[in-house]
Amino acid sequence: MALRHEPTASYRSVQDALRVLETVGRRGTGINETELARETGIATERLTTLLRMLRREAYVEQITDGAYVTGAAFARLGSADGHRQALRDTLQRTLDRLRDRVGAAVYLSRYVDGEVRVTQYADSPATPKVNEWVDFRYSAHATAVGKSLLTQLDHEGRRDHLARHRPARLTSRTITSDRLLLSKLAAQPPTAPVLDLQEYAVGTVCAAVPLTAGSTAGCLALSLPLEHAHRLRRAADTLNRSAAPMLLSLAI
């Protein structure tokens, strides 16, 4: 199984952010924004935006003379000891902030060993997670999470998944035709969120954006009750813009 590699804006942001971190890391005593722009070749306006994101995620910090040095989050993720737990904690903090920002339950998912897995999520009493009434492993054809992960596979990978997990009708909106589903997955633009409009569960709408890290397909998703469906597009756009910090954590 192969992944489709179509660079998104978030992926390009992560590539630039890694260049910034590499440059900051080489200059242990600190480097200012002007020097960073010169050494990385990144335009000043874009560099300012990247540094704002890196500071918010604690990957860099600014010292008294305005220079940048690596931050606490970068140190934790860069250490071999406890890297897995540090990554999980970093991702959870990012998910918690994103939940509050979009006003919805949010999910981090991966496609592992041919199966859909929700690896982490952030919800609250005001933003409850979706009721998993059918195991997500068997309902990729109907969920925003599953469809986003399947769009990142090549054609044979999608066919293999659907052969192992036959599309079942979960609501009146569920697509059960392999041909139609494969056609829609192939036509999905890599930069646009994948939507689930009551295909998995009546009364629930969802959106997901890709998080392809290395050879593993992943996605960031949110769910809303139907009465908040008018917020879905805007929330999905926010989700898309917020994917870079998650990708960066996975890439370090």
Side-chain angles (χ1 to χ4, degrees):
M1 179 194 72
L3 300 185
R4 293 198 305 173
H5 289 284
E6 299 181 59
T8 62
S10 293
Y11 180 81
R12 289 189 290 270
S13 292
V14 167
Q15 294 297 99
D16 287 345
L18 287 172
R19 284 162 59 197
V20 172
L21 280 174
E22 182 182 7
T23 305
V24 172
R26 284 200 309 264
R27 297 279 290 272
T29 57
I31 181 171
N32 63 39
E33 193 166 338
T34 301
E35 293 172 315
L36 268 172
R38 183 173 62 250
E39 293 194 23
T40 61
I42 299 172
T44 302
E45 184 176 349
R46 178 164 178 74
L47 180 60
T48 299
T49 301
L50 287 170
L51 286 170
R52 188 181 303 122
M53 183 268 284
L54 290 170
R55 287 181 66 188
R56 184 178 64 244
E57 300 298 324
Y59 289 120
V60 300
E61 60 184 56
Q62 225 172 352
I63 53 181
T64 51
D65 63 356
Y68 290 91
V69 295
T70 54
F74 182 77
R76 286 194 298 269
L77 291 179
S79 169
D81 297 330
H83 177 273
R84 180 175 297 181
Q85 187 60 47
L87 174 59
R88 187 172 183 84
D89 292 346
T90 297
L91 292 173
Q92 191 62 50
R93 283 192 293 271
T94 304
L95 286 171
D96 290 344
R97 285 199 304 269
L98 185 55
R99 172 203 60 207
D100 297 339
R101 185 178 177 192
V102 300
V106 292
Y107 314 79
L108 181 63
S109 303
R110 309 293 294 276
Y111 194 74
V112 181
D113 297 329
E115 302 293 349
V116 172
R117 301 187 189 280
V118 175
T119 54
Q120 286 178 249
Y121 65 89
D123 67 346
S124 71
T127 57
K129 64 184 179 70
V130 68
N131 174 33
E132 190 179 349
W133 75 283
V134 176
D135 194 314
F136 289 144
R137 291 176 297 173
Y138 310 131
S139 54
H141 64 291
T143 64
V145 162
K147 289 186 289 182
S148 179
L149 293 173
L150 291 177
T151 62
Q152 297 171 62
L153 308 183
D154 61 13
H155 182 71
E156 290 307 314
R158 296 174 198 149
R159 285 176 59 88
D160 172 73
H161 185 93
L162 295 178
R164 289 183 290 107
H165 300 301
R166 301 301 305 161
R169 187 170 299 282
L170 306 182
T171 76
S172 62
R173 294 174 176 266
T174 307
I175 298 173
T176 57
S177 162
D178 284 14
R179 183 175 180 180
L180 179 56
L181 183 60
L182 288 168
S183 175
K184 285 184 173 293
L185 292 174
Q188 172 69 28
T191 57
V194 178
L195 303 181
D196 157 20
L197 305 176
Q198 300 190 89
E199 295 171 56
Y200 174 74
V202 174
T204 300
V205 294
C206 305
V209 296
L211 284 178
T212 305
S215 60
T216 303
C219 74
L220 185 60
L222 64 84
S223 64
L224 287 167
L226 183 59
E227 56 266 32
H228 291 284
H230 61 282
R231 297 201 291 115
L232 183 63
R233 294 282 180 177
R234 180 174 294 181
D237 289 341
T238 302
L239 196 73
N240 217 356
R241 292 194 300 270
S242 304
M246 309 293 282
L247 262 177
L248 183 59
S249 297
L250 293 169
I252 293 175

PDB file of all heavy atoms in Angstrom, residues 114-138:
ATOM      1  N   GLY A 114      -3.532  -1.190   8.301  1.00  0.00           N
ATOM      2  CA  GLY A 114      -4.751  -1.367   7.530  1.00  0.00           C
ATOM      3  C   GLY A 114      -6.036  -1.064   8.268  1.00  0.00           C
ATOM      4  O   GLY A 114      -7.117  -1.438   7.811  1.00  0.00           O
ATOM      5  N   GLU A 115      -5.938  -0.377   9.417  1.00  0.00           N
ATOM      6  CA  GLU A 115      -7.135  -0.086  10.204  1.00  0.00           C
ATOM      7  C   GLU A 115      -7.178   1.383  10.626  1.00  0.00           C
ATOM      8  O   GLU A 115      -6.137   2.016  10.841  1.00  0.00           O
ATOM      9  CB  GLU A 115      -7.191  -0.960  11.463  1.00  0.00           C
ATOM     10  CG  GLU A 115      -7.169  -2.456  11.218  1.00  0.00           C
ATOM     11  CD  GLU A 115      -8.420  -2.963  10.507  1.00  0.00           C
ATOM     12  OE1 GLU A 115      -9.402  -2.197  10.387  1.00  0.00           O
ATOM     13  OE2 GLU A 115      -8.420  -4.135  10.071  1.00  0.00           O
ATOM     14  N   VAL A 116      -8.395   1.902  10.753  1.00  0.00           N
ATOM     15  CA  VAL A 116      -8.618   3.261  11.254  1.00  0.00           C
ATOM     16  C   VAL A 116      -8.534   3.237  12.776  1.00  0.00           C
ATOM     17  O   VAL A 116      -9.215   2.441  13.430  1.00  0.00           O
ATOM     18  CB  VAL A 116     -10.011   3.774  10.819  1.00  0.00           C
ATOM     19  CG1 VAL A 116     -10.323   5.111  11.498  1.00  0.00           C
ATOM     20  CG2 VAL A 116     -10.074   3.909   9.302  1.00  0.00           C
ATOM     21  N   ARG A 117      -7.703   4.117  13.328  1.00  0.00           N
ATOM     22  CA  ARG A 117      -7.574   4.187  14.789  1.00  0.00           C
ATOM     23  C   ARG A 117      -7.649   5.649  15.238  1.00  0.00           C
ATOM     24  O   ARG A 117      -6.870   6.479  14.751  1.00  0.00           O
ATOM     25  CB  ARG A 117      -6.250   3.593  15.263  1.00  0.00           C
ATOM     26  CG  ARG A 117      -6.057   2.122  14.876  1.00  0.00           C
ATOM     27  CD  ARG A 117      -4.800   1.555  15.521  1.00  0.00           C
ATOM     28  NE  ARG A 117      -4.476   0.236  15.002  1.00  0.00           N
ATOM     29  CZ  ARG A 117      -5.057  -0.890  15.400  1.00  0.00           C
ATOM     30  NH1 ARG A 117      -5.995  -0.833  16.320  1.00  0.00           N
ATOM     31  NH2 ARG A 117      -4.709  -2.059  14.874  1.00  0.00           N
ATOM     32  N   VAL A 118      -8.561   5.950  16.148  1.00  0.00           N
ATOM     33  CA  VAL A 118      -8.589   7.254  16.801  1.00  0.00           C
ATOM     34  C   VAL A 118      -7.614   7.166  17.970  1.00  0.00           C
ATOM     35  O   VAL A 118      -7.871   6.444  18.937  1.00  0.00           O
ATOM     36  CB  VAL A 118     -10.001   7.622  17.284  1.00  0.00           C
ATOM     37  CG1 VAL A 118      -9.971   8.940  18.066  1.00  0.00           C
ATOM     38  CG2 VAL A 118     -10.960   7.739  16.098  1.00  0.00           C
ATOM     39  N   THR A 119      -6.493   7.857  17.866  1.00  0.00           N
ATOM     40  CA  THR A 119      -5.422   7.705  18.855  1.00  0.00           C
ATOM     41  C   THR A 119      -5.558   8.660  20.034  1.00  0.00           C
ATOM     42  O   THR A 119      -5.130   8.346  21.137  1.00  0.00           O
ATOM     43  CB  THR A 119      -4.053   7.904  18.196  1.00  0.00           C
ATOM     44  OG1 THR A 119      -4.033   9.174  17.517  1.00  0.00           O
ATOM     45  CG2 THR A 119      -3.780   6.800  17.168  1.00  0.00           C
ATOM     46  N   GLN A 120      -6.132   9.838  19.810  1.00  0.00           N
ATOM     47  CA  GLN A 120      -6.355  10.796  20.888  1.00  0.00           C
ATOM     48  C   GLN A 120      -7.547  11.669  20.532  1.00  0.00           C
ATOM     49  O   GLN A 120      -7.875  11.837  19.343  1.00  0.00           O
ATOM     50  CB  GLN A 120      -5.130  11.699  21.102  1.00  0.00           C
ATOM     51  CG  GLN A 120      -3.960  11.011  21.780  1.00  0.00           C
ATOM     52  CD  GLN A 120      -2.746  11.920  21.939  1.00  0.00           C
ATOM     53  OE1 GLN A 120      -1.730  11.719  21.293  1.00  0.00           O
ATOM     54  NE2 GLN A 120      -2.848  12.901  22.810  1.00  0.00           N
ATOM     55  N   TYR A 121      -8.176  12.237  21.553  1.00  0.00           N
ATOM     56  CA  TYR A 121      -9.270  13.169  21.298  1.00  0.00           C
ATOM     57  C   TYR A 121      -9.379  14.137  22.472  1.00  0.00           C
ATOM     58  O   TYR A 121      -8.821  13.906  23.551  1.00  0.00           O
ATOM     59  CB  TYR A 121     -10.599  12.435  21.087  1.00  0.00           C
ATOM     60  CG  TYR A 121     -11.105  11.681  22.295  1.00  0.00           C
ATOM     61  CD1 TYR A 121     -11.931  12.302  23.238  1.00  0.00           C
ATOM     62  CD2 TYR A 121     -10.742  10.346  22.503  1.00  0.00           C
ATOM     63  CE1 TYR A 121     -12.391  11.612  24.353  1.00  0.00           C
ATOM     64  CE2 TYR A 121     -11.200   9.654  23.619  1.00  0.00           C
ATOM     65  CZ  TYR A 121     -12.016  10.289  24.535  1.00  0.00           C
ATOM     66  OH  TYR A 121     -12.461   9.608  25.643  1.00  0.00           O
ATOM     67  N   ALA A 122     -10.092  15.225  22.246  1.00  0.00           N
ATOM     68  CA  ALA A 122     -10.367  16.189  23.311  1.00  0.00           C
ATOM     69  C   ALA A 122     -11.841  16.558  23.238  1.00  0.00           C
ATOM     70  O   ALA A 122     -12.320  17.009  22.199  1.00  0.00           O
ATOM     71  CB  ALA A 122      -9.498  17.441  23.147  1.00  0.00           C
ATOM     72  N   ASP A 123     -12.559  16.307  24.322  1.00  0.00           N
ATOM     73  CA  ASP A 123     -13.959  16.696  24.384  1.00  0.00           C
ATOM     74  C   ASP A 123     -14.213  17.360  25.733  1.00  0.00           C
ATOM     75  O   ASP A 123     -13.286  17.579  26.519  1.00  0.00           O
ATOM     76  CB  ASP A 123     -14.874  15.492  24.159  1.00  0.00           C
ATOM     77  CG  ASP A 123     -14.795  14.468  25.300  1.00  0.00           C
ATOM     78  OD1 ASP A 123     -13.847  14.552  26.125  1.00  0.00           O
ATOM     79  OD2 ASP A 123     -15.674  13.591  25.362  1.00  0.00           O
ATOM     80  N   SER A 124     -15.450  17.704  25.998  1.00  0.00           N
ATOM     81  CA  SER A 124     -15.837  18.332  27.255  1.00  0.00           C
ATOM     82  C   SER A 124     -17.352  18.167  27.394  1.00  0.00           C
ATOM     83  O   SER A 124     -18.022  17.780  26.432  1.00  0.00           O
ATOM     84  CB  SER A 124     -15.457  19.818  27.258  1.00  0.00           C
ATOM     85  OG  SER A 124     -16.306  20.538  26.373  1.00  0.00           O
ATOM     86  N   PRO A 125     -17.904  18.471  28.568  1.00  0.00           N
ATOM     87  CA  PRO A 125     -19.363  18.395  28.700  1.00  0.00           C
ATOM     88  C   PRO A 125     -20.102  19.261  27.683  1.00  0.00           C
ATOM     89  O   PRO A 125     -21.179  18.894  27.209  1.00  0.00           O
ATOM     90  CB  PRO A 125     -19.601  18.893  30.135  1.00  0.00           C
ATOM     91  CG  PRO A 125     -18.341  18.541  30.865  1.00  0.00           C
ATOM     92  CD  PRO A 125     -17.246  18.754  29.861  1.00  0.00           C
ATOM     93  N   ALA A 126     -19.499  20.401  27.332  1.00  0.00           N
ATOM     94  CA  ALA A 126     -20.134  21.300  26.356  1.00  0.00           C
ATOM     95  C   ALA A 126     -19.884  20.863  24.923  1.00  0.00           C
ATOM     96  O   ALA A 126     -20.628  21.257  24.010  1.00  0.00           O
ATOM     97  CB  ALA A 126     -19.630  22.727  26.559  1.00  0.00           C
ATOM     98  N   THR A 127     -18.843  20.053  24.706  1.00  0.00           N
ATOM     99  CA  THR A 127     -18.500  19.588  23.358  1.00  0.00           C
ATOM    100  C   THR A 127     -18.264  18.082  23.401  1.00  0.00           C
ATOM    101  O   THR A 127     -17.122  17.619  23.279  1.00  0.00           O
ATOM    102  CB  THR A 127     -17.237  20.303  22.831  1.00  0.00           C
ATOM    103  OG1 THR A 127     -16.158  20.084  23.757  1.00  0.00           O
ATOM    104  CG2 THR A 127     -17.470  21.796  22.669  1.00  0.00           C
ATOM    105  N   PRO A 128     -19.322  17.295  23.581  1.00  0.00           N
ATOM    106  CA  PRO A 128     -19.150  15.842  23.733  1.00  0.00           C
ATOM    107  C   PRO A 128     -18.684  15.188  22.438  1.00  0.00           C
ATOM    108  O   PRO A 128     -19.014  15.643  21.338  1.00  0.00           O
ATOM    109  CB  PRO A 128     -20.554  15.366  24.110  1.00  0.00           C
ATOM    110  CG  PRO A 128     -21.473  16.396  23.534  1.00  0.00           C
ATOM    111  CD  PRO A 128     -20.728  17.702  23.651  1.00  0.00           C
ATOM    112  N   LYS A 129     -17.912  14.098  22.587  1.00  0.00           N
ATOM    113  CA  LYS A 129     -17.460  13.359  21.406  1.00  0.00           C
ATOM    114  C   LYS A 129     -18.625  12.577  20.823  1.00  0.00           C
ATOM    115  O   LYS A 129     -19.637  12.332  21.490  1.00  0.00           O
ATOM    116  CB  LYS A 129     -16.292  12.436  21.747  1.00  0.00           C
ATOM    117  CG  LYS A 129     -16.584  11.321  22.725  1.00  0.00           C
ATOM    118  CD  LYS A 129     -15.302  10.554  23.037  1.00  0.00           C
ATOM    119  CE  LYS A 129     -15.532   9.428  24.040  1.00  0.00           C
ATOM    120  NZ  LYS A 129     -16.322   8.321  23.484  1.00  0.00           N
ATOM    121  N   VAL A 130     -18.469  12.171  19.581  1.00  0.00           N
ATOM    122  CA  VAL A 130     -19.523  11.436  18.893  1.00  0.00           C
ATOM    123  C   VAL A 130     -19.721  10.069  19.546  1.00  0.00           C
ATOM    124  O   VAL A 130     -18.773   9.455  20.035  1.00  0.00           O
ATOM    125  CB  VAL A 130     -19.176  11.277  17.389  1.00  0.00           C
ATOM    126  CG1 VAL A 130     -17.982  10.356  17.198  1.00  0.00           C
ATOM    127  CG2 VAL A 130     -20.374  10.794  16.596  1.00  0.00           C
ATOM    128  N   ASN A 131     -20.949   9.611  19.574  1.00  0.00           N
ATOM    129  CA  ASN A 131     -21.257   8.281  20.084  1.00  0.00           C
ATOM    130  C   ASN A 131     -20.808   7.242  19.054  1.00  0.00           C
ATOM    131  O   ASN A 131     -21.359   7.176  17.957  1.00  0.00           O
ATOM    132  CB  ASN A 131     -22.762   8.153  20.350  1.00  0.00           C
ATOM    133  CG  ASN A 131     -23.152   6.745  20.755  1.00  0.00           C
ATOM    134  OD1 ASN A 131     -22.386   6.041  21.408  1.00  0.00           O
ATOM    135  ND2 ASN A 131     -24.339   6.313  20.356  1.00  0.00           N
ATOM    136  N   GLU A 132     -19.787   6.443  19.405  1.00  0.00           N
ATOM    137  CA  GLU A 132     -19.244   5.454  18.466  1.00  0.00           C
ATOM    138  C   GLU A 132     -20.160   4.222  18.453  1.00  0.00           C
ATOM    139  O   GLU A 132     -19.835   3.164  18.979  1.00  0.00           O
ATOM    140  CB  GLU A 132     -17.814   5.072  18.856  1.00  0.00           C
ATOM    141  CG  GLU A 132     -17.104   4.233  17.806  1.00  0.00           C
ATOM    142  CD  GLU A 132     -15.676   3.881  18.205  1.00  0.00           C
ATOM    143  OE1 GLU A 132     -15.165   4.459  19.189  1.00  0.00           O
ATOM    144  OE2 GLU A 132     -15.082   3.027  17.526  1.00  0.00           O
ATOM    145  N   TRP A 133     -21.294   4.359  17.808  1.00  0.00           N
ATOM    146  CA  TRP A 133     -22.284   3.278  17.833  1.00  0.00           C
ATOM    147  C   TRP A 133     -21.914   2.140  16.879  1.00  0.00           C
ATOM    148  O   TRP A 133     -22.371   1.014  17.049  1.00  0.00           O
ATOM    149  CB  TRP A 133     -23.677   3.831  17.524  1.00  0.00           C
ATOM    150  CG  TRP A 133     -23.945   4.168  16.091  1.00  0.00           C
ATOM    151  CD1 TRP A 133     -23.508   5.269  15.428  1.00  0.00           C
ATOM    152  CD2 TRP A 133     -24.730   3.411  15.172  1.00  0.00           C
ATOM    153  NE1 TRP A 133     -23.963   5.249  14.127  1.00  0.00           N
ATOM    154  CE2 TRP A 133     -24.722   4.126  13.940  1.00  0.00           C
ATOM    155  CE3 TRP A 133     -25.438   2.211  15.255  1.00  0.00           C
ATOM    156  CZ2 TRP A 133     -25.377   3.665  12.811  1.00  0.00           C
ATOM    157  CZ3 TRP A 133     -26.096   1.759  14.121  1.00  0.00           C
ATOM    158  CH2 TRP A 133     -26.074   2.473  12.930  1.00  0.00           C
ATOM    159  N   VAL A 134     -21.059   2.448  15.890  1.00  0.00           N
ATOM    160  CA  VAL A 134     -20.440   1.430  15.043  1.00  0.00           C
ATOM    161  C   VAL A 134     -18.938   1.669  15.098  1.00  0.00           C
ATOM    162  O   VAL A 134     -18.487   2.803  14.895  1.00  0.00           O
ATOM    163  CB  VAL A 134     -20.936   1.508  13.585  1.00  0.00           C
ATOM    164  CG1 VAL A 134     -20.200   0.492  12.714  1.00  0.00           C
ATOM    165  CG2 VAL A 134     -22.443   1.270  13.514  1.00  0.00           C
ATOM    166  N   ASP A 135     -18.173   0.642  15.385  1.00  0.00           N
ATOM    167  CA  ASP A 135     -16.715   0.746  15.500  1.00  0.00           C
ATOM    168  C   ASP A 135     -16.137   1.499  14.302  1.00  0.00           C
ATOM    169  O   ASP A 135     -16.441   1.189  13.147  1.00  0.00           O
ATOM    170  CB  ASP A 135     -16.121  -0.670  15.563  1.00  0.00           C
ATOM    171  CG  ASP A 135     -14.667  -0.682  16.022  1.00  0.00           C
ATOM    172  OD1 ASP A 135     -13.881   0.147  15.513  1.00  0.00           O
ATOM    173  OD2 ASP A 135     -14.312  -1.522  16.859  1.00  0.00           O
ATOM    174  N   PHE A 136     -15.315   2.518  14.580  1.00  0.00           N
ATOM    175  CA  PHE A 136     -14.730   3.326  13.505  1.00  0.00           C
ATOM    176  C   PHE A 136     -13.900   2.482  12.537  1.00  0.00           C
ATOM    177  O   PHE A 136     -13.721   2.856  11.378  1.00  0.00           O
ATOM    178  CB  PHE A 136     -13.861   4.446  14.086  1.00  0.00           C
ATOM    179  CG  PHE A 136     -14.647   5.530  14.768  1.00  0.00           C
ATOM    180  CD1 PHE A 136     -14.149   6.147  15.909  1.00  0.00           C
ATOM    181  CD2 PHE A 136     -15.873   5.952  14.275  1.00  0.00           C
ATOM    182  CE1 PHE A 136     -14.871   7.165  16.546  1.00  0.00           C
ATOM    183  CE2 PHE A 136     -16.599   6.962  14.894  1.00  0.00           C
ATOM    184  CZ  PHE A 136     -16.092   7.568  16.047  1.00  0.00           C
ATOM    185  N   ARG A 137     -13.380   1.362  13.007  1.00  0.00           N
ATOM    186  CA  ARG A 137     -12.588   0.508  12.115  1.00  0.00           C
ATOM    187  C   ARG A 137     -13.425  -0.035  10.972  1.00  0.00           C
ATOM    188  O   ARG A 137     -12.907  -0.313   9.880  1.00  0.00           O
ATOM    189  CB  ARG A 137     -11.979  -0.656  12.894  1.00  0.00           C
ATOM    190  CG  ARG A 137     -10.885  -0.271  13.877  1.00  0.00           C
ATOM    191  CD  ARG A 137     -10.424  -1.482  14.667  1.00  0.00           C
ATOM    192  NE  ARG A 137     -11.523  -2.023  15.481  1.00  0.00           N
ATOM    193  CZ  ARG A 137     -11.436  -3.162  16.162  1.00  0.00           C
ATOM    194  NH1 ARG A 137     -10.320  -3.882  16.112  1.00  0.00           N
ATOM    195  NH2 ARG A 137     -12.458  -3.582  16.886  1.00  0.00           N
ATOM    196  N   TYR A 138     -14.732  -0.192  11.211  1.00  0.00           N
ATOM    197  CA  TYR A 138     -15.602  -0.820  10.215  1.00  0.00           C
ATOM    198  C   TYR A 138     -16.494   0.184   9.493  1.00  0.00           C
ATOM    199  O   TYR A 138     -17.354  -0.209   8.710  1.00  0.00           O
ATOM    200  CB  TYR A 138     -16.479  -1.884  10.895  1.00  0.00           C
ATOM    201  CG  TYR A 138     -15.693  -2.845  11.755  1.00  0.00           C
ATOM    202  CD1 TYR A 138     -16.087  -3.125  13.052  1.00  0.00           C
ATOM    203  CD2 TYR A 138     -14.529  -3.443  11.270  1.00  0.00           C
ATOM    204  CE1 TYR A 138     -15.349  -3.993  13.853  1.00  0.00           C
ATOM    205  CE2 TYR A 138     -13.789  -4.312  12.058  1.00  0.00           C
ATOM    206  CZ  TYR A 138     -14.198  -4.581  13.347  1.00  0.00           C
ATOM    207  OH  TYR A 138     -13.462  -5.429  14.133  1.00  0.00           O
TER     208      TYR A 138
END
